């Protein structure tokens, strides 16, 4: 998992950003139109210097992600359920 700061650019992104923030998967900075550059800088610098928080975020992301998302996308695009859809025929 990659520690992330999220900026909401569209209404449909807000619920996911909030949920990720509440689960400590990322930090939501909120709606882009409400943000000041100084706020983004402040939050980014705070995350950079807080290695414990970055590690917690990374661990939380890894706990919910099996790393097989790209393979699932390829399988869906190819219409296959093969064990190895990337290289399978």
């Amino acid at each position: 998992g990659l520690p992330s700061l999220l900026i909401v650019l569209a209404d449909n992104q807000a619920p996911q950003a909030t949920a990720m923030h509440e689960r400590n998967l990322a930090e939501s900075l909120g709606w882009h139109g409400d943000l000041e550059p100084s706020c983004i800088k402040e939050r980014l610098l705070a995350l950079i210097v807080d290695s414990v928080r970055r590690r917690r975020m990374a661990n939380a992301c890894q706990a919910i992600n099996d790393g097989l998302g790209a393979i699932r996308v390829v399988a869906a695009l190819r219409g296959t359920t093969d064990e190895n859809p990337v290289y399978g025929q």
Side-chain angles (χ1 to χ4, degrees):
L2 181 64
S4 301
L5 298 177
L6 307 176
I7 297 173
V8 177
L9 302 175
D11 291 336
N12 66 333
Q13 297 172 344
Q16 290 85 357
T18 299
M20 291 179 74
H21 184 90
E22 289 172 350
R23 290 178 160 175
N24 295 315
L25 299 169
E27 180 178 349
S28 176
L29 303 183
W31 186 253
H32 70 93
D34 296 335
L35 288 173
E36 294 292 329
S38 60
C39 175
I40 298 169
K41 177 182 176 183
E42 178 183 305
R43 304 284 279 281
L44 179 58
L45 291 174
L47 186 58
I48 288 171
V49 300
D50 192 343
S51 63
V52 172
R53 185 159 180 245
R54 289 193 320 272
R55 175 53 40 208
R56 278 192 208 130
M57 279 183 173
N59 289 343
C61 288
Q62 290 170 356
I64 66 164
N65 184 353
D66 64 8
L68 300 175
I71 290 173
R72 288 189 189 95
V73 169
V74 170
L77 291 172
R78 293 182 69 192
T80 182
T81 57
D82 296 344
E83 296 236 353
N84 193 345
V86 176
Y87 302 107
Q89 298 297 325

